[in-house]
Structure formats: C-alpha cells, structure tokens
Amino acid sequence: DAFKARLKVLEDSVKNAVDALGGFEDGHYRPGDECLGCLKDLKRLWRVDDRAVASLLWTTRALPHDFLPLLLETAGRGLFEDKRAIACVDLMTAMTWPVDVAEELKELAEAEEEEVEKEDYTQLLQSHLHYKAALLRPGVMEALLGIVLPSLAKEPKQRTDRDAQVVGVVLYLLRNLAFIKDLPPNAHSSSDHAELATLQTKFVKVLSDTHILDLVVTIASNVGTDPLFERWNTLVLEIFYLLFRG
C-alpha cells in the first residue's frame, strides 16, 4: 500500500540520521560529530513526508532516547551548543503539532488511503501523549527557558529575526503540549494509563514551578510595549485558552 511504500523509502535515511546524532558514554549523552547536520537532515525529510517520518521517529523512540538527552546536554551552553538544542526543539515542535484527525481522514478517504491512515493517526495521537509525558521530565522546561532567555535579555533594537524564531518555536511547543488532551480517567486502568490521564495538571504545575508560566504572563503583559512580544500575542492567548480549557 502507499503509506508502507513511503515508509520503506525513508526508513534507512531516518534511522541513519537518528543513529548518528550521538549516544550515551559513562552516563552522559555525547553528541556525534555531525549532530547538527543530522538534525537538519531530519527536518528536511520531515518536509518531504511528515506522516511517514513521524511514524519512523516514533518507532525509533528518537525523542526520549536522543532529542531530549541532546537538548539537556546542549541548551544554554553557548551559541554553538544552542544551535543543536534549538534544532531539537524545532523537531519536537513539529512532532507534537496539533492534528485535526477527522478533517484529515476525510481528505484521505477521497484518496482511498483511509484504512491505512486510520491506524497511522491512532499511533500519531498515542505518540503525542507519550511525548508530552517525556517533555515533563525534570530539567526539560528549564532547558527550554535556557534557550529563550538570551534572546529575551537583549535590548529590543539588538534582537534579530533569529531571536524571534527561537522564542516562537518554544512558544509553539508549549502550545502543542497544552493542546494534547489527557486520556479519559479510568479507575481500573494501569499506572501508565493513569499517568497519561493526568498530564495536563502536571504540565501546569511544571510550568509554574519552572517559572515558564511567569514568562508567558510577562509576554502577554508586554505585548503593547515590545515588538518581539507583539507578534506572539495570538499564540500566547491560545496557550492560556488551552490551559484554562483543561
């Protein structure tokens, strides 16, 4: 079928790029020599076929095994290291992007791929829940804060488009995580199910404990005085809506 054929075409390229990102040595994650290039390759492949690459990244467990350790190892360590951290966040933002499953399945039905893609979208939604749980581990939100603070610390006139992009990609990741709905609570479920049924509450607590919620409030309250914040007005509003909705 069409989707499996797309997976087969991209499988080796995705797995090779993930394998070359780095690995653990003596308890620490060591980025590979071509780490940044591999992250860029993965983003290029994502643009070619996001659904197939999303499935392959889920299969390889790239986010918990590579992207998160790499983020924690590089965020806030300087310009060169931060490039790798930002590239990780960019991919994680893409991997958690909200999906209107009903609308997309309607379009796929017209292309006669509905049955294949239904299974794919079930996996996609499952992956989003597990990614959210992984991103709530200790240190991750602090690392995100470490990425945006250098851009926010600059005087408005000194900021570049890249500074705006860095702040934006982190805010979009927060929006994506807020969008992901918990599993319905079930008194007879497993501990794993119970964890995935309480993620939004944990998310709000982590945002508060790491002062990221304070950052989002600061952005909202300075929309009229800082051009950098003004462009993220609607996105910040969406974050608050999704948090209150839950």
Side-chain angles (χ1 to χ4, degrees):
D1 59 54
F3 184 66
K4 288 182 179 178
R6 284 152 47 198
L7 287 176
K8 191 173 181 64
V9 168
L10 293 168
E11 184 175 14
D12 287 344
S13 297
V14 170
K15 288 187 175 180
N16 289 340
V18 170
D19 288 343
L21 288 174
F24 283 93
E25 291 180 14
D26 301 323
H28 292 283
Y29 191 87
R30 306 294 184 193
D33 294 338
E34 302 299 324
C35 177
L36 183 58
C38 291
L39 290 167
K40 290 179 178 178
D41 287 343
L42 287 170
K43 191 58 189 291
R44 279 194 289 269
L45 291 168
W46 185 275
R47 294 191 187 103
V48 171
D49 190 333
D50 57 343
R51 287 292 170 265
V53 174
S55 180
L56 292 166
L57 290 176
W58 169 248
T59 303
T60 59
R61 300 297 188 264
L63 187 144
H65 293 168
D66 289 283
F67 296 160
L68 280 184
L70 183 55
L71 172 69
L72 294 173
E73 191 66 33
T74 57
R77 304 288 177 87
L79 181 61
F80 176 73
E81 299 291 354
D82 273 1
K83 284 184 178 179
R84 293 188 279 190
I86 293 163
C88 282
V89 175
D90 191 26
L91 277 165
M92 292 191 289
T93 300
M95 292 164 70
T96 55
W97 201 264
V99 177
D100 185 341
V101 177
E103 182 62 30
E104 296 211 18
L105 284 176
K106 181 180 176 182
E107 294 175 8
L108 290 162
E110 298 171 3
E112 298 181 350
E113 291 187 44
E114 183 178 5
E115 293 306 317
V116 175
E117 297 286 351
K118 271 185 178 177
E119 181 179 348
D120 177 45
Y121 280 113
T122 300
Q123 181 192 81
L124 182 66
L125 295 176
Q126 180 188 29
S127 73
H128 281 186
L129 278 165
H130 286 277
Y131 291 159
K132 183 171 181 175
L135 284 159
L136 296 182
R137 292 175 185 172
V140 176
M141 291 296 152
E142 291 91 338
L144 295 179
L145 199 58
I147 290 172
V148 298
L149 284 180
S151 296
L152 296 176
K154 294 180 181 178
E155 292 294 326
K157 292 182 180 179
Q158 295 177 330
R159 294 187 187 128
T160 64
D161 286 342
R162 177 171 175 76
D163 291 316
Q165 291 167 0
V166 170
V167 175
V169 75
V170 170
L171 288 176
Y172 272 115
L173 180 57
L174 297 177
R175 187 282 308 270
N176 293 355
L177 295 178
F179 188 91
I180 298 167
K181 290 187 176 182
D182 294 348
L183 288 181
N186 186 334
H188 305 289
S189 63
S190 65
S191 58
D192 287 344
H193 183 107
E195 181 189 8
L196 299 179
T198 57
L199 288 178
Q200 192 76 334
T201 299
K202 186 177 179 181
F203 180 49
V204 174
K205 186 175 188 310
V206 170
L207 289 181
S208 178
D209 290 346
T210 57
H211 302 293
I212 287 185
L213 199 56
D214 294 335
L215 171 64
V216 179
V217 170
T218 300
I219 292 174
S221 61
N222 285 276
V223 162
T225 59
D226 192 316
L228 178 66
F229 297 158
E230 189 171 353
R231 73 172 68 191
W232 303 124
N233 187 25
T234 305
L235 181 56
V236 168
L237 183 65
E238 189 177 8
I239 291 170
F240 281 123
Y241 163 73
L242 291 168
L243 292 178
F244 283 117
R245 179 194 69 176

